[in-house]
């Protein structure tokens, strides 16, 4: 920020320069340094600050989902959160991770190319120990995974990828698939060493064991959707109206909601003493109900249809003969909420 000097300050500055206390070359040099911005043409920035921020927001959702999923599966306290999101070359990423480690090659369908999910050995062996019945202690010896341990980690990574799909759902319908697991970073050359990537670093804690998970996405893979990596796009997609796809999803989910359906012959009030004294063969006379009257079908606690009893094969059934009322939107929401409780 530029400051305006007073006359006294100007006089003091001129006096200092005249006496040799301040050299004019040093003043000029300081001013010139402020105008210089260092830029490395060998590793140009491919992602803007807004895009990096959007990627961070997406993977914060991924971290929350992964925390819940792993806590339930491992029956242990698990905490995952985004530590940083950076852009660097693929070679720098490979050099920054240990050898051996757990590297999952992820197919990012429908995007082209692959990504890499790297799990720190301490976290890997803690998860394996926990699933094998141990206390979740990490291995003190850094070694390759056995065939059984690799199979166990495949199941963990596949479960994690389900959370990744949900976290990316506002941007693209991602269908990530685990291709293979490598332990040597040199064998995971998915892009040229100088290719720029975005690296999402996730601090992970399983019980008392701490480590890192790194999700590396090449620029070539994410380039087709780079314009969608903005907060404005994500918020607009959230606010978009009820599209056909969203309606179909809602219908599919509502179709699995269980709601009790009861065929009611009639009702009457009885004291607790009368109910306790009921025995097999007793007859309860229902007021205002005749033999030929239709029964009432109640959905939840609302009367919806009239029906008549009968048989279908060897099973008791009812036949709907009349609709009593239309279930409004507000009533339906109240009904679903009551059943959810």
């Amino acid at each position: 920020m530029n400051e305006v000097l007073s006359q006294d300050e100007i006089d003091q500055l001129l006096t200092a320069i005249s006496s040799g206390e301040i050299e004019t070359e040093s003043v000029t040099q300081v001013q010139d340094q402020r105008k210089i911005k260092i830029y490395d043409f060998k590793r140009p920035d491919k992602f803007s600050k807004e895009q990096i921020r959007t990627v961070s927001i997406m993977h914060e959702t991924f971290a929350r989902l992964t925390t819940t999923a792993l806590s339930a599966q491992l029956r242990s306290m698990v905490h995952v959160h985004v530590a940083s999101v950076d852009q660097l070359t693929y070679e720098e990423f490979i050099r920054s991770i240990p050898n051996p480690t757990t590297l999952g090659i992820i197919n990012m369908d429908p995007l082209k190319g692959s990504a890499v999910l790297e799990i720190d050995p301490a976290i890997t062996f803690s998860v394996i120990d926990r699933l094998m019945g141990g206390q979740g202690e990490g291995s003190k010896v850094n070694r390759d995974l056995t065939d059984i341990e690799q199979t166990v980690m495949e199941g963990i990574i596949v479960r994690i990828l389900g959370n990744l799909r949900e976290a990316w759902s506002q941007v693209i319908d991602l269908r990530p698939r685990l291709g293979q697991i490598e332990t040597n970073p040199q064998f995971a050359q998915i892009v040229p060493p100088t290719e720029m990537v975005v690296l999402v670093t996730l601090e992970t804690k399983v019980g008392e064991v701490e480590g890192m998970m790194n999700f590396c996405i090449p620029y070539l893979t994410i380039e087709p959707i780079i314009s969608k990596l903005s907060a404005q796009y994500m918020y607009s997609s959230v606010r978009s109206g009820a599209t056909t796809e969203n309606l179909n999803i809602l219908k599919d989910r509502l179709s699995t909601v269980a709601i009790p359906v009861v065929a009611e012959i009639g009702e009457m009030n009885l004291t607790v003493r009368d109910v306790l004294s009921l025995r097999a063969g007793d007859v309860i006379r229902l007021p205002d109900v005749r033999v030929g009257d239709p029964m009432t079908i109640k959905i939840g606690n609302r009367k919806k249809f009239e029906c008549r009893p009968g048989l279908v094969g060897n099973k008791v059934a009812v036949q709907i003969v009349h609709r009593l009322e239309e279930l409004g939107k507000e009533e339906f929401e109240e009904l679903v909420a009551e059943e959810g409780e």
Side-chain angles (χ1 to χ4, degrees):
M1 179 177 178
N2 295 330
E3 297 182 358
V4 179
L5 300 179
S6 64
Q7 186 61 45
D8 292 339
E9 291 172 333
I10 294 174
D11 294 339
Q12 292 175 6
L13 180 59
L14 293 175
T15 302
I17 293 175
S18 301
S19 62
E21 295 179 7
I22 300 178
E23 297 181 358
T24 56
E25 294 180 357
S26 61
V27 176
T28 306
Q29 184 178 2
V30 172
Q31 293 178 348
D32 292 342
Q33 288 178 352
R34 293 180 179 178
K35 298 178 181 179
I36 296 174
K37 182 179 179 182
I38 300 176
Y39 187 85
D40 189 353
F41 288 94
K42 293 181 180 180
R43 43 171 300 177
D45 293 342
K46 296 291 188 70
F47 302 91
S48 66
K49 291 183 178 180
E50 183 183 12
Q51 291 164 351
I52 292 293
R53 186 166 56 251
T54 303
V55 172
S56 178
I57 293 172
M58 290 165 53
H59 288 89
E60 284 173 359
T61 302
F62 167 70
R64 289 194 299 270
L65 296 173
T66 302
T67 296
T68 303
L70 291 183
S71 297
Q73 187 170 7
L74 301 180
R75 299 292 191 271
S76 177
M77 291 297 296
V78 178
H79 182 66
V80 182
H81 74 276
V82 177
S84 63
V85 179
D86 304 296
Q87 51 180 323
L88 64 164
T89 63
Y90 187 68
E91 182 180 16
E92 290 173 327
F93 164 65
I94 291 297
R95 289 181 177 180
S96 66
I97 57 179
N99 183 15
T101 186
T102 304
L103 287 169
I105 310 300
I106 311 301
N107 185 345
M108 299 289 283
D109 188 56
L111 300 176
K112 297 180 181 179
S114 302
V116 173
L117 178 64
E118 187 265 337
I119 304 178
D120 189 273
I123 298 298
T124 297
F125 288 110
S126 176
V127 169
I128 293 173
D129 184 65
R130 186 69 185 172
L131 290 176
M132 294 298 183
Q135 298 297 320
E137 298 178 356
S139 175
K140 297 180 180 179
V141 180
N142 197 5
R143 58 174 176 82
D144 291 339
L145 298 177
T146 65
D147 292 341
I148 294 177
E149 291 171 341
Q150 186 167 324
T151 302
V152 171
M153 289 308 299
E154 285 179 358
I156 292 293
I157 293 176
V158 168
R159 183 159 189 168
I160 289 175
L161 294 182
N163 301 329
L164 186 66
R165 178 176 184 176
E166 186 170 348
W168 282 57
S169 60
Q170 297 296 337
V171 175
I172 186 175
D173 183 17
L174 190 67
R175 296 184 295 276
R177 291 182 292 107
L178 175 62
Q180 60 187 19
I181 290 182
E182 297 285 354
T183 57
N184 190 336
Q186 300 302 322
F187 296 155
Q189 295 296 335
I190 59 174
V191 290
T194 57
E195 179 63 30
M196 295 298 296
V197 299
V198 58
L199 179 64
V200 182
T201 302
L202 303 158
E203 287 188 359
T204 307
K205 185 176 182 180
V206 179
E208 299 299 324
V209 179
E210 297 183 4
M212 296 290 184
M213 282 197 302
N214 293 304
F215 188 50
C216 173
I217 315 169
Y219 177 78
L220 293 176
T221 299
I222 208 171
E223 184 179 14
I225 60 168
I226 197 71
S227 61
K228 296 182 180 180
L229 296 180
S230 65
Q232 181 179 1
Y233 177 85
M234 292 185 65
Y235 294 148
S236 63
S237 63
V238 171
R239 293 195 303 266
S240 60
T243 62
T244 303
E245 182 180 359
N246 293 336
L247 288 175
N248 291 335
I249 293 174
L250 288 174
K251 289 179 180 178
D252 291 339
R253 292 184 178 180
L254 288 175
S255 65
T256 62
V257 176
I259 297 179
V261 178
V262 178
E264 189 178 89
I265 300 175
E267 61 182 21
M268 67 175 300
N269 296 323
L270 291 176
T271 63
V272 175
R273 180 180 293 106
D274 292 337
V275 174
L276 294 176
S277 64
L278 288 175
R279 297 292 183 270
D282 290 348
V283 176
I284 300 176
R285 292 181 176 273
L286 300 175
D288 302 325
V289 177
R290 294 178 295 179
V291 175
D293 290 346
M295 298 165 57
T296 301
I297 291 182
K298 296 179 69 175
I299 298 180
N301 59 355
R302 289 176 170 79
K303 297 179 180 180
K304 184 66 177 177
F305 302 101
E306 288 184 348
C307 64
R308 296 189 182 280
L311 293 175
V312 175
N314 296 326
K315 296 182 179 180
V316 179
V318 294
Q319 181 184 34
I320 296 175
V321 295
H322 179 65
R323 182 191 296 270
L324 294 178
E325 64 172 346
E326 293 288 343
L327 200 60
K329 178 181 178 182
E330 294 181 357
E331 294 175 336
F332 179 77
E333 292 175 349
E334 291 177 2
L335 181 61
V336 173
E338 291 172 0
E339 296 307 319
E341 294 175 356

